Amino acid sequence: MQFTSYLSKRYALLLGFSGWFLLFSLILRIVFLIWQLNDVELSVFTLAKILGIGLFYDIGVLSFLFVICTFYILLIPQKWMGSKLDKFIIYSGFGLTLLIFVFTFFAEITFWEEFKCRFNFVAVDYLIYTFEVVQNIHESYPLYVLIPSMLLITGVIFYYFLTKQLFSQTFTAKISFKNRVLPFAVALIITCCYTLFVTNSNAEWSTNRYNNEISKAGIYSFFAELRNNKLDFKTFYTSISDEEAFRIIRNNLQEENARFITNDYSIKRKISDSLDGNAKPNVVFILIESMSGSFMTEFGNQEEITPFLDSIARESIFFKNLYATGNRTVRGMEAVTLSIPPTPGQSIVKRPNNANLYTISNVFKSKNYQCNFFYGGDGYFDNMNAFYGGNGFDIYDRGRGSILSDAIKTTRHNIDDDEVTFENAWGICDEDIYNKMIKVADEYHQKNKPFLNFIMTTSNHRPYTYPKNKIDIPSGTGRNGAVKYSDYALQQMFAKAKNKPWFKNTIFVFVADHCASSAGKDEIDVKNYQIPAIIYGQNTIQPQKVTKLCSQIDVFPTLFGQLHWNYTSNFFGTNVFDKNYKERALIGTYLKLAHKTNANVCILSNQKKNANYKWNSSSNHLLLIPMNKSKQKETIAWYQTADYLYLNNKLK
């Protein structure tokens, strides 16, 4: 009885905090359920399972806190219990921990608003790029309300614990060292069990993605993603022999005029064209932030927020059935620059050993092109400068003090203040970055040097702000305004370019990096990966609408085919107009890897779990069907070979 009494008093504050955390976690879970009421699959059984699994993960979060707190209680000498030092540590530690947890609950709500999921790898990235994130939060949310609210809630809870005498119980209780060992040992064992055996994906018990996400705990999800920054394919996914994987892929990449250079585990090949094109038009490639296909009238939107893209699509090669490889900008960059499927974990753009790879710049430089990369923010963000600078592109960005590695031999140019008319958290407005691009294009035209200008836009991003009086939707009011301004800026750029002597010998390529949202009920929301892709060339491109199923990775190989270039390819993408082209799309969500062929979608998940679906394009619903072993092997082959080539330095 004496042990129980002393234990309960010395640990009273910790137990009280745990009760508060579990209560608030339950409330937050119910808020998310109500938020997505039309999307979750709800019954008495599923509700019990969501709340039960949620409680299990919440206890996992608390177990880590218990280890820290019981370790402190274990170490402090009994004579120091209740001393000024003890009180200082406990008061300050409790207050800081409480504030962090309250902040986390607020952060989860704002994160859910944008991504419709618990913390994931995006949240991990946000810790690295603090300037952009802090500025974005400042410009997107009323901090003058949020910060006082967090402090007020923290203060109220702190005061409640004071009035309940939990602090005084903790300070007055004495407990021997022997009786402190057991709580610490139990907490440590439980924490080790969670660390070693409980993954975040264990919470994915339902075919409904929202049910799974609500079952998770935000803090647990965050640290799980921190650990999963890089995933070895063969460890976490179903695999086949490398020999079989490369045999399948080489068969998929066997274009009419392609010849593989070696017979080993490689996809490097020579692409020959009977016309042997000598044309060297300039190329302006614009990767448009979050431009979902659903925003365009061509895809059925009736709000007329993309008049320029809709009009230029009719004068271009317009891909109506093209899919993004992922749901982040770095995935889009990886897809168009390396022409590679999304490897599990982080994009190659952000991974080590990503310099001197074989990219589109190698093809252009073999034709004596100048390659430039433009970004309106600081290219340190998402490792853009290191990736593009390390792969042959000169950099034009809004540098804020970050520097390129000495190993990068290309040149970085700063966008100066006098070249900026509007700037928000993510960078200068699209009009400003296009003006800079046109200025650089003029310089290389004067040098008689063909150029590839690769532009990454920023305006179609929260906080959705842009220059005033440009369009009929006020700045900062929402996504539609940002989309319409992005389209307006494209139209202004195009009008200015038309007056340039280099225009008639320039091809313009417009592609989205990803959709505005990829969240949905199914484990992969197929419709939310469909993006527009447009290739325009006044004198070189014959307008046509492409309805073949294809991917971001096919954009540049198709362009090279239109130019009739002979070149070396180490790309997974192929020319969609080649008679041997095989229709497919490759889609990834960081942990889930999908292969789409018409209505069939095969999905690989970590923990070596796979599923096969029939996709209903009208309802955007995935219906589980029996696994097709041939399709499963083909899906595995795309991702396994991409992972193999990267890990074995064969993307060079």
Side-chain angles (χ1 to χ4, degrees):
M1 281 296 293
Q2 188 181 27
F3 169 73
T4 305
S5 175
Y6 278 141
L7 177 67
S8 63
K9 289 182 179 180
R10 183 59 182 169
Y11 295 85
L13 189 62
L14 179 58
L15 295 173
F17 181 91
S18 301
W20 165 81
F21 173 75
L22 293 175
L23 176 62
F24 266 56
S25 295
L26 173 64
I27 293 171
L28 185 63
R29 207 161 270 118
I30 293 171
V31 168
F32 288 155
L33 278 168
I34 296 171
W35 198 334
Q36 305 298 150
L37 197 57
N38 294 327
D39 301 308
V40 294
E41 292 178 6
L42 209 55
S43 66
V44 173
F45 173 74
T46 57
L47 178 60
K49 199 161 187 178
I50 289 170
L51 298 181
I53 292 174
L55 176 62
F56 176 75
Y57 277 90
D58 291 339
I59 291 171
V61 173
L62 287 174
S63 71
F64 290 87
L65 183 65
F66 264 69
V67 166
I68 296 170
C69 295
T70 56
F71 183 63
Y72 167 74
I73 294 172
L74 177 70
L75 289 183
I76 189 170
Q78 190 176 58
K79 64 180 180 180
W80 288 6
M81 293 180 185
S83 67
K84 290 182 179 179
L85 176 64
D86 184 38
K87 289 180 179 179
F88 173 78
I89 292 173
I90 290 177
Y91 275 130
S92 58
F94 178 85
L96 181 61
T97 304
L98 180 61
L99 180 60
I100 291 172
F101 275 56
V102 170
F103 168 80
T104 301
F105 285 128
F106 272 77
E108 280 210 70
I109 293 170
T110 58
F111 196 83
W112 189 278
E113 179 188 15
E114 184 162 358
F115 298 103
K116 296 294 185 290
C117 65
R118 295 287 193 170
F119 291 142
N120 59 16
F121 62 98
V122 178
V124 175
D125 281 352
Y126 279 4
L127 277 187
I128 301 171
Y129 306 111
T130 52
F131 177 84
E132 287 82 359
V133 173
V134 171
Q135 284 294 105
N136 184 39
I137 292 171
H138 174 68
E139 294 171 8
S140 301
Y141 299 101
L143 295 185
Y144 57 88
V145 174
L146 291 181
I147 292 176
S149 298
M150 285 189 290
L151 294 175
L152 178 62
I153 292 172
T154 302
V156 169
I157 296 169
F158 196 99
Y159 179 75
Y160 174 82
F161 277 68
L162 278 173
T163 58
K164 291 299 178 180
Q165 305 298 312
L166 293 179
F167 283 101
S168 61
Q169 290 180 44
T170 300
F171 296 142
T172 56
K174 305 291 182 182
I175 184 170
S176 68
F177 181 82
K178 181 179 67 175
N179 289 339
R180 287 179 258 161
V181 173
L182 181 60
F184 172 70
V186 171
L188 186 61
I189 291 170
I190 293 173
T191 301
C192 288
C193 287
Y194 272 97
T195 303
L196 296 174
F197 306 116
V198 182
T199 67
N200 209 38
S201 55
N202 290 146
E204 296 173 1
W205 56 274
S206 172
T207 57
N208 184 292
R209 193 187 65 84
Y210 289 109
N211 285 26
N212 296 334
E213 291 298 325
I214 296 171
S215 298
K216 297 175 183 177
I219 296 174
Y220 202 94
S221 295
F222 178 85
F223 286 100
E225 297 295 345
L226 196 62
R227 294 175 62 195
N228 288 337
N229 189 48
K230 173 189 169 188
L231 295 173
D232 178 71
F233 184 88
K234 290 184 179 179
T235 301
F236 291 93
Y237 296 85
T238 305
S239 61
I240 55 180
S241 71
D242 290 328
E243 182 179 2
E244 184 177 16
F246 276 96
R247 179 180 57 76
I248 292 170
I249 287 304
R250 285 164 71 102
N251 181 59
N252 272 272
L253 301 181
Q254 189 64 65
E255 296 174 84
E256 182 181 12
N257 297 312
R259 177 179 59 83
F260 286 98
I261 296 173
T262 65
N263 292 320
D264 61 359
Y265 296 162
S266 168
I267 63 167
K268 188 168 282 191
R269 56 207 187 276
K270 291 284 187 181
I271 308 292
S272 302
D273 195 293
S274 58
L275 296 180
D276 190 16
N278 293 313
K280 294 183 180 180
N282 306 305
V283 176
V284 173
F285 179 84
I286 301 176
L287 197 60
I288 312 171
E289 173 69 44
S290 304
M291 188 59 72
S292 305
S294 59
F295 293 141
M296 292 180 62
T297 303
E298 283 283 349
F299 288 92
N301 190 295
Q302 300 299 313
E303 297 177 286
E304 298 183 350
I305 53 177
T306 58
F308 172 75
L309 286 174
D310 286 316
S311 65
I312 201 70
R314 293 187 283 272
E315 303 173 36
S316 312
I317 295 176
F318 177 42
F319 299 85
K320 285 229 27 175
N321 200 15
L322 184 143
Y323 289 79
T325 61
N327 50 22
R328 289 217 62 208
T329 294
V330 286
R331 281 299 186 198
M333 289 178 163
E334 172 188 74
V336 297
T337 310
L338 288 167
S339 187
I340 192 172
T343 51
Q346 278 285 16
S347 163
I348 291 173
V349 174
K350 301 190 67 175
R351 290 169 73 173
N353 304 316
N354 66 0
N356 302 311
L357 305 180
Y358 194 86
T359 71
I360 56 172
S361 73
N362 293 79
V363 178
F364 281 100
K365 284 182 176 291
S366 72
K367 309 289 183 182
N368 198 36
Y369 274 69
Q370 168 65 31
C371 298
N372 302 309
F373 173 73
F374 297 81
Y375 178 62
D378 188 336
Y380 166 75
F381 183 76
D382 269 347
N383 205 45
M384 293 183 215
N385 282 356
F387 176 73
Y388 282 100
N391 286 290
F393 288 81
D394 278 7
I395 306 295
Y396 294 82
D397 76 325
R398 189 81 166 129
R400 297 192 179 96
S402 59
I403 58 174
L404 293 181
S405 164
D406 291 338
I408 297 173
K409 303 305 180 185
T410 52
T411 305
R412 182 185 188 184
H413 307 266
N414 195 56
I415 299 171
D416 297 325
D417 290 346
D418 60 6
E419 298 175 292
V420 177
T421 64
F422 181 90
E423 191 168 15
N424 66 15
W426 298 107
I428 63 178
C429 66
D430 287 358
E431 286 177 276
D432 289 343
I433 197 67
Y434 294 146
N435 288 338
K436 182 66 175 181
M437 181 276 295
I438 290 172
K439 182 179 178 181
V440 174
D442 289 342
E443 293 173 5
Y444 283 100
H445 176 72
Q446 290 293 322
K447 298 176 183 178
N448 293 315
K449 180 89 168 175
F451 56 81
L452 164 64
N453 282 348
F454 186 126
I455 304 99
M456 179 66 232
T457 73
T458 58
S459 289
N460 189 22
H461 195 295
R462 187 182 294 276
Y464 313 128
T465 54
Y466 41 84
K468 294 180 180 179
N469 304 318
K470 299 289 184 175
I471 59 172
D472 57 359
I473 302 175
S475 171
T477 56
R479 174 70 74 178
N480 276 9
V483 171
K484 193 165 187 176
Y485 171 73
S486 297
D487 184 83
Y488 166 84
L490 285 170
Q491 186 273 327
Q492 293 295 305
M493 178 276 297
F494 200 72
K496 291 175 182 177
K498 270 189 172 182
N499 295 320
K500 297 296 182 178
W502 44 263
F503 175 80
K504 290 183 179 180
N505 188 40
T506 300
I507 291 175
F508 293 82
V509 185
F510 309 100
V511 182
D513 59 350
H514 55 81
C515 285
S517 172
S518 60
K521 288 188 282 188
D522 294 318
E523 54 181 328
I524 283 187
D525 191 282
V526 177
K527 202 74 173 177
N528 278 333
Y529 287 84
Q530 189 171 20
I531 58 171
I534 297 166
I535 300 176
Y536 171 90
Q538 188 177 61
N539 299 319
T540 52
I541 301 297
Q542 293 299 314
Q544 57 184 301
K545 195 170 288 187
V546 180
T547 57
K548 293 178 183 178
L549 175 65
C550 52
S551 168
Q552 272 175 320
I553 68 175
D554 300 315
V555 173
F556 272 103
T558 300
L559 173 61
F560 298 151
Q562 289 292 295
L563 297 175
H564 304 289
W565 279 0
N566 296 329
Y567 68 100
T568 299
S569 173
N570 202 18
F571 305 141
F572 283 84
T574 53
N575 179 4
V576 300
F577 295 113
D578 188 272
K579 73 174 187 178
N580 293 337
Y581 174 75
K582 296 182 179 180
E583 298 184 38
R584 50 84 192 99
L586 300 152
I587 301 169
T589 66
Y590 187 68
L591 292 178
K592 297 185 184 297
L593 308 170
H595 177 251
K596 181 181 184 300
T597 51
N598 296 318
N600 181 262
V601 180
C602 182
I603 300 177
L604 311 178
S605 299
N606 57 331
Q607 295 188 319
K608 300 182 185 289
K609 294 179 180 179
N610 310 312
N612 198 34
Y613 296 94
K614 181 178 180 181
W615 180 53
N616 185 317
S617 59
S618 299
S619 65
N620 191 30
H621 179 65
L622 292 176
L623 175 66
L624 187 65
I625 58 175
M627 177 59 72
N628 180 309
K629 292 298 181 182
S630 176
K631 290 291 184 186
Q632 179 177 330
K633 283 188 173 183
E634 188 172 357
T635 305
I636 292 168
W638 281 100
Y639 295 104
Q640 183 174 323
T641 53
D643 188 67
Y644 176 93
L645 292 177
Y646 170 73
L647 292 178
N648 289 278
N649 296 314
K650 288 193 172 185
L651 290 178
K652 298 183 181 293

